Amino acid sequence: MKGLPSLLASFSLPGALFSHYRRHPLQLLALAVMIVLATMLWTGVNHLTSQARASLNQSEQAVAERQQVVRDDGQMLAVDDFVALRLVGVCVMPWLEVTPETGNRLVGIDPLAAYCFGSRNRPSPALDQPLNGKPFLDMGVATAIKSRDSRLYLLTPDTTQTADLPGGYQLTSFSTSPDTGELGDSFLLNLEALGILVLLITALLLRSVYLLGLVQRRDSFALLHRFGVSPDRVQRWLVFEILALALMCVVPGVGLGRWLAAGLGGGFGQALDGLFDIPLYAGQGQGWAMPVLVMLAVVVIACLGDLLLLRFRERLSLILPKTVYSGLAALLLVAGLAMAWLAPSLPWVFIAVALVFAGAGWLAPYAVARIARWCAGRSTKPLALWRYRELAVLARRLTLPLVALQFALAMVLAVQALVTTFEDTFDRWLGQRLEAAYYIEVPAGADGRQAAEWLTRQQTNTPGLQWHRVMRGQAQVTGTDNANNPQVDVFAVAPVGALIRSWSLLEAADQHWEALDSGSGVMINEQLARRQNLSVGNNLKLRLGNQQRVMPIQGIYPDYGRPVGEILLSAETLPDSFNVRFESFSVTPGKPGIAQMTDALQGIWQVEALSMRDNGTIRELATSVFDQTFALTRAMTLLTLILAAAALLMMGWVFFSTRAWYFRLLVAWGMSQRQVAGQLLRLALLLTGGIAVLALPLGIWLTWVLVHRINPLAFGWTLPMAVYPAFWFELGMLSLAVGLSIAALMRRQLGRPAVAPVSASALTGGER
Amino acid sequence: MIRHGMLLLTLFVFLGCSSDNSDEGFAGLAGVEQSVRLDTPYLQPGSGDQLNFPEDFGPHPQHRIEWWYLTANLETTKGEPLGLQWTQFRQALQPRAVSESAPAATDWPLQAAWMAHAAVSWKGQHYFAEKLARGDVGNAGATAAPFQVWLDNWLLSGNEANDRWQLQAAGDGWNYDLTLTIEGEPVAHGEAGFSAKSASGEGSMYFSLVDIAIAGEVTLGGEVLEVRGKGWFDREWSSQLLKTGQKGWDWFALHLNSGDKLMAFRLRDESGSFLSGTWLPAKGAPVPLGADELNLKELERREGVPVRWQLSVPDYHLAIELSAPPGDYLNSGLYPYWESPVSVSGSHQGEGYMELTGYAD
Amino acid sequence: MAESLLAVRGLSKHFVSGNETVPVIEKLSFTLGQGQSLALTGRSGSGKSTLLNLLCGLELADAGTIVLQGQVFETGAKIARQKAMKWSSLRRQQIGVVFQEANLMPALTLLENVQFRAQLAGRSTASSQDWLTRLDIGALAQRYPDQVSGGQRQRAALAMVFAMEPALILADEPTGSLDRHTADEVTQVLFDLQARYGCGLILATHDAELAAGCQQHLDLGHLSSL
Ligand SMILES: Nc1ncnc2c1ncn2[C@@H]1O[C@H](COP(=O)(O)OP(=O)(O)OP(=O)(O)O)[C@@H](O)[C@H]1O
Ligand SMILES: [Mg+2]
């Protein structure tokens, strides 16, 4: 007889283990499907994020190198500056923007000088392409072009530091067109943080499905144990089993995820191409190895984590009673909250988020159970008592899927708020920069004043005409703690009309627009306010041209993603010595249309053509880029939520089924089926509703962290925090729908006679 | 060094200035220029051309290509050998008569492109850096008096008597700063400075300074090394170098312990090769060596590059073996080539430098 | 016999498994007087549990009449829902059901279970603790079902049933999973209390000894399908 167990042990142990799945193929299928879906979801999110990042990086590289060298004295750069910088070893490359008398703007570059940027740090991918005319030309050719306007920039790689520069020069950022880089970066950083959250949620879901299967196989394990198979051997086979399953499912999952991302995300790069007029390669780059390995690791850790941690956990539970556990969780939560509030840098915020999620995830089911017990203690009706006690059991038994749902809800909440905020911000950002329908550049040598006078005359008899004159240049903020007085951009407008007055301000004094108009005040952008610690009412000391001025700050305007300080003031107050580097008109032509306006201006300025930008198209293109990303992000998070909800539904149903006997017992005790079904409904709704309620603060907190902590730390500007109660309501409804579905499934079960549990064990639903 | 013609050709294909490469004569160099002004043709060096000093230390804008080339076998205070190279190339895109003044820098002219290489070989490690610039703008150029050759912050400059030079160059995390003391007069190769590069008579103007005492500092990753030793300086310019079918070139410059010196090169060809050199006895005038007076044989290759050679000049009882130290001495710039110190053994002892091109691919 | 607690006439029940009809109970008739006990015996699968389910309305008969406490349940009654409600209210207040196992709500303590059942039946919960004491498990009142032994659980189940002051107790092998000694103790308590409070008892059991303790005996005998 000794032969049988050893035979079983040596030959058919895997068979015996697997026989469970032969009898319950659906369980195996559920686990496999969950692995595939989880892998697909995460790969999709991850792939999309990296794709979006690659595209944005490309576009940024194409349109704007980050840094340029400028002169301290604000003078235009010339070839001498290039030579002076090169001779002391600073890598600079000339970038000559010329606007020919006819035709579009061209850029002259020197590929020989660009060589020092190194191949990884090329200022523009276009340099790899033949320079057959447009828009890049050799410096020599560009210089020879008869142009209305030309300006030399000296670009320098990211690695160049201020200390590398000789005296008289400084570094500033360089951009040639509206640079969505910072905004995009910020969005992607947040997307990445959420990607990690998706990974966590999928891990929780996987674990819950796996544990469910394991519980149902406990009988077979006990049997094997009786046959003399050591638990170690069983465990080894279980490890092998899950690894094999993971391998089989992860690869198709990654494939599906890539397919999903490619299908959905392909347009992102195309939209960018359209925006910047330069063919951009939307990064694929991402291999298979990384997602496959990550997901394998996740599956193994999620499913077998406790095998690995078993001994540690046993020891821990010996030392720590339950209350200490939840105390520890509360401590984590509080520590995380405090850290998120005080964190000085990004990594700390991320640690804080991890702590808060760990704490909240750990605490939530306990909290539900606790509250349920507390309610039970206060309830006088036996049914209420029973219901709360059942709820407490459910909360503890369904910990994993509940936490997964909670996280998913919180994440969807945060993503929704974030995406909406970004959309809004992006919209406003565009609105602010492209406030008028058209930008018309004042040609070199032409007099902007004449045009302004003409427009003022038109104002009275042209309905819908809105305009202002823009003069750009630089000024120096003086009298700061900062030893080297920071250079700021000057954005001077006149008149301070409706176009400007539609700007939304972060902070403003009374009568701010009037003060700005009369020249008795300035407005500053958020960056400057933050950097110099300025607020409304403070005086700003300025050197404008050769004049020293002290002006009160009338308002602070958001300037999403611009890393440079900027001041807004009335152009009327600019001293003559102010060096106007760029002059243009922002015009919404109103009824007569733009053609009439350009004709008139051409006449005034005595030029053949005008350099004009149609802001409508730019806006459309830019919006379409982000719209797609936003939509994708929403879709992905919603998918996560649906997965989490489905998992809870499945787990809830299975768990409720194990307790079917006891629900039937209520019928045996004289409650009608309808009454019992009603009780089950209330129970299920309490459970899923409770988790939605617990997810709400977590979601709002996560939004706050993304918008108010991560973004300022990473980029130096805040996004407005907005809450969307209507969406909370939608999510609440979704949770309740899950509860309703569980109850409906149970109601069907109640109709069938239940089999009495053989023994009151965890296996059969007798837990409390 | 022919490949530098190729290199710059590649560069200008990259620049997009090139039309198609009509591959006739010399490697299609004729296709490089956009507009060759007929009134100013390229000057072709030839038999009978003379060297002029100090002018020939400066640039030759009417020649297509030229270089200033320093190699040095140095030693640290601990007696460890250290090899060093500095080279600056000029490639004309448009010839300009010496009498004609340079175009204005503000026009960002593109008559010439400059390239500089610097390398240090120490303890089997090879440090290399490359710089490019356009000429006539100001950050790259050369002058004969005072003698200066520069590209960005790399600079070779001589004193008034032009017998003491300073050289600075820097790569990523390393740099050198050397003082060179020039002893002896320039040595003309070939026929009073005209060095034939093929049997059919094409060639370049070529002279060397072969007695250069060097002292200075080499900084490698924060470590400052005091070095001293001797160097070899080449000046060469031409308008036509590489014949179609020529594959590459092997060049050797050796300081023998006997006080004698030797320069030898071989141009490799599909059909054979062109061998030439100069014997520089310790005392007495340099002797040009023809193909039949020199024997050169590869002994061993390291990853495709011949690193051991047998060289003999029977007339002077020279039978030596040259070997590169262990390591990889590929200058991996736009166009890679091998540049390493060599040690001499056999009938004579000594050291020197070896440049090998056309093996990389 | 007019005063009988329960009268069963021509009761039949069959199950359909697959496309086969399996008759379990066929034309069964018997009566049970007030305070009387009846032992239900028969082989496994002979229909004991099925009969008990029919007698408390957890399952509905195919044919026959059940008269319980003067209420008449006939097959084919027009309004099934009304019938179900009648059965529900009977189960709540008149019929105490004891199963072989799992008679207690796992999330409630023994005392809470008793109170719950009593309250459902509309009885006072004041005596709940007394019932537990009377069944010798007063000290375990605050324990949960999984914290006491199988015998103690069945005692608690009996306490629950008596606390609702039923007219009829239907016990389906209440000691089936207990050892001999414990089973005897539990049955003894059951018989004592049944006698003292004068409720009817139908006890399904395999155990001839137990059956002998009852006043009446009904043997379902063989598997009805054979
Ligand atoms: N819901 C059902 N559907 C189909 N057949 C059933 C159903 N319930 C019981 N049966 C069948 O009816 C017969 C009687 O079952 P029942 O449970 O009443 O037997 P029992 O006498 O209580 O047996 P035991 O002593 O094993 O408890 C059995 O053959 C059983 O298989
Ligand atoms: Mg039975």
Side-chain angles (χ1 to χ4, degrees), chain A residues 677-749:
Chain A
Q679 291 299 320
L680 289 181
L681 183 65
R682 291 174 73 173
L683 193 56
L685 292 183
L686 264 178
L687 185 71
T688 53
I691 219 65
V693 167
L694 283 179
L696 188 61
L698 193 64
I700 295 173
W701 179 82
L702 186 62
T703 317
W704 175 81
V705 167
L706 290 175
V707 162
H708 273 263
R709 296 298 300 152
I710 292 181
N711 219 46
L713 283 176
F715 307 103
W717 45 280
T718 53
L719 285 163
M721 163 118 184
V723 285
Y724 302 90
F727 189 67
W728 301 353
F729 182 74
E730 282 170 39
L731 284 189
M733 287 295 115
L734 180 81
S735 308
L736 293 183
V738 173
L740 273 175
S741 314
I742 295 178
L745 285 169
M746 278 320 293
R747 201 191 163 112
R748 285 186 49 205
Q749 282 228 333

Side-chain angles (χ1 to χ4, degrees), chain A residues 753, chain C residues 15 24 43-50 173 206:
Chain C
F15 288 111
V24 179
R43 269 186 268 168
S44 181
S46 57
K48 302 184 292 293
S49 301
T50 305
E173 303 184 49
H206 293 283

Side-chain angles (χ1 to χ4, degrees), chain A residues 430-449:
Chain A
L430 281 176
Q432 187 171 309
R433 266 177 187 59
L434 315 174
E435 75 276 2
Y438 294 93
Y439 275 178
I440 302 171
E441 284 180 26
V442 178
D447 187 0
R449 195 170 297 275

Side-chain angles (χ1 to χ4, degrees), chain A residues 271-434:
Chain A
L272 279 174
D273 293 355
L275 179 59
F276 297 113
D277 265 348
I278 296 169
L280 295 170
Y281 154 77
Q284 282 292 336
Q286 276 255 314
W288 284 70
M290 207 274 291
V292 167
L293 286 179
V294 167
M295 281 315 294
L296 277 182
V298 167
V299 172
V300 167
I301 291 169
C303 298
L304 304 171
D306 47 350
L307 274 189
L308 312 170
L309 284 173
L310 202 60
R311 286 194 190 101
F312 172 72
R313 231 175 47 165
E314 269 165 9
R315 219 175 305 148
L316 199 70
S317 56
L318 276 184
I319 312 166
L320 301 174
K322 274 256 157 62
T323 47
V324 178
Y325 254 143
S326 40
L328 206 67
L331 206 70
L332 282 186
L333 187 66
V334 171
L337 290 174
M339 199 193 272
W341 183 270
L342 300 168
S345 64
L346 266 192
W348 287 105
V349 177
F350 285 125
I351 293 172
V353 171
L355 284 182
V356 168
F357 267 78
W362 210 347
L363 218 50
Y366 278 106
V368 172
R370 259 281 163 83
I371 293 167
R373 284 179 168 275
W374 181 76
C375 291
R378 287 169 50 95
S379 59
T380 46
K381 289 203 188 117
L383 261 176
L385 173 75
W386 172 83
R387 209 168 46 233
Y388 287 126
R389 287 286 173 77
E390 280 295 301
L391 182 64
V393 175
L394 281 170
R396 271 180 289 114
R397 295 305 305 174
L398 295 175
T399 297
L400 291 173
L402 278 179
V403 170
L405 183 67
Q406 184 199 14
F407 285 5
L409 282 170
M411 187 186 73
V412 170
L413 238 154
V415 166
Q416 201 273 346
L418 189 77
V419 166
T420 315
T421 306
F422 260 104
E423 258 180 340
D424 218 43
T425 306
F426 189 67
D427 219 49
R428 259 183 276 168
W429 175 77
L430 281 176
Q432 187 171 309
R433 266 177 187 59
L434 315 174

